[in-house]
Amino acid sequence: GDYRPLLPFLADVPVGTLFLELCTPRAGEIDVLAELPRATRIGVGVVNQKLDDVEAVDVIEADDDVRVVLLEGAGPSFCSGADLNDFGTASSIVESRRGRHELDVWGRMSTFEKPMIASLHGYTLGAGLEMSLMCDFRVAADDALLGLPEVGLGYLPSAGGSQTMPRLIGKGRALEMILTGDPIPASRALDFGIVQRVVPLSELASESLVLAQRLAAMPPRALQLTKHAVVQGLDLTLAQGLQLESILGARLRAPGGG
């Protein structure tokens, strides 16, 4: 069926383009690596060589000159998710989502060692929002509108939103956002804890860059291991988390560990 009339606010939402940028330690330099034209299928070019999605993430992670990854949207929105015209055109929901699960880009992002920042403005919906939830920092412009409209379109969030959102903001608020599909403004997203900062749209790029530069100037190994301790520790008991922190601290203090 055509579920689009259930979500009239999506009628004029542009798909948009994402830019993946890398922050290096060279004076906090930002290098534009690639354009990501769709949230559902990320194709990244590195040094003029086309790489598979997960391969690209691996290459970025292995590059010691890359300290921070910054995701930004071009045009009027960060990313409005998949093109609505594609909904219902695949032979089945299973087939249309299989490619994403086989590549597991979002899963790979969840284990990425280096800090990732999502710079959000305008419509940040569906897979676009879900991808940002895999990042460590979300800086939003005051015009950002965040939502997960998949249920109203007859689909299940399949880029991690049903799992990452409740872990971030709790079961009750997550169910309200996911089951109703109602988008929320940046100010409410800040109250919920979805984003860490809200700034005027005119200051979004500079604010995101300053954060990226500050992180890029940190000792890289300490930055990565501390992120690992926090992220992985959330899935452990307190005793296990403390043990993990001790192990990682010893690794950092070991000769050549830093």
Side-chain angles (χ1 to χ4, degrees):
D2 187 356
Y3 297 94
R4 282 175 285 184
L6 297 176
L7 296 165
F9 74 90
L10 287 177
D12 299 318
V13 175
V15 174
T17 299
L18 286 177
F19 285 93
L20 176 64
E21 301 183 336
L22 308 178
C23 193
T24 73
R26 298 186 296 272
E29 174 185 342
I30 286 286
D31 295 326
V32 176
L33 175 68
E35 293 186 17
L36 313 182
R38 297 173 59 88
T40 52
R41 181 81 174 104
I42 305 176
V44 180
V46 181
V47 195
N48 298 320
Q49 179 182 6
K50 272 306 209 183
L51 298 174
D52 206 35
D53 300 4
V54 177
E55 288 181 20
V57 176
D58 291 341
V59 168
I60 294 169
E61 190 168 52
D63 188 341
D64 290 338
D65 282 339
V66 176
R67 300 288 180 86
V68 179
V69 173
L70 174 62
L71 284 174
E72 292 184 312
S77 295
F78 171 73
C79 182
S80 56
D83 190 338
L84 277 180
N85 293 323
D86 289 345
F87 280 101
T89 60
S91 57
S92 70
I93 296 177
V94 174
E95 288 297 325
S96 66
R97 300 294 176 99
R98 180 170 293 163
R100 175 186 296 166
H101 288 293
E102 288 176 352
L103 289 172
D104 194 25
V105 181
W106 276 255
R108 183 63 184 85
M109 288 176 67
S110 71
T111 62
F112 193 73
E113 292 184 351
K114 300 173 182 179
M116 303 185 74
I117 303 169
S119 184
L120 314 178
H121 73 285
Y123 291 108
T124 303
L125 305 172
L129 175 56
E130 291 171 283
M131 179 162 51
S132 78
L133 295 178
M134 294 297 181
C135 296
D136 306 297
F137 297 89
R138 285 162 296 281
V139 182
D142 52 13
D143 74 333
L145 199 62
L146 293 72
L148 296 171
E150 288 92 337
V151 171
L153 293 165
Y155 292 86
L156 179 78
S158 64
S162 68
Q163 302 305 307
T164 54
M165 189 64 81
R167 283 170 168 76
L168 186 63
I169 66 174
K171 175 184 174 182
R173 285 174 167 172
L175 283 173
E176 179 182 1
M177 283 194 67
I178 296 170
L179 297 186
T180 67
D182 293 339
I184 62 173
S187 57
R188 193 173 186 201
L190 180 63
D191 291 340
F192 280 9
I194 299 175
V195 302
Q196 288 102 323
R197 303 181 188 182
V198 175
V199 299
L201 178 59
S202 61
E203 299 175 12
L204 179 63
S206 60
E207 185 78 11
S208 300
L209 179 58
V210 167
L211 176 59
Q213 290 172 332
R214 180 177 181 185
L215 293 171
M218 296 287 185
R221 193 60 177 156
L223 197 69
Q224 293 172 24
L225 290 179
T226 301
K227 173 183 171 176
H228 180 79
V230 173
V231 174
Q232 299 303 315
L234 289 173
D235 292 326
L236 303 175
T237 66
L238 177 59
Q240 292 170 331
L242 291 172
Q243 184 178 24
L244 173 64
E245 180 183 75
S246 178
I247 292 172
L248 295 176
R251 186 182 303 173
L252 184 62
R253 291 190 299 271

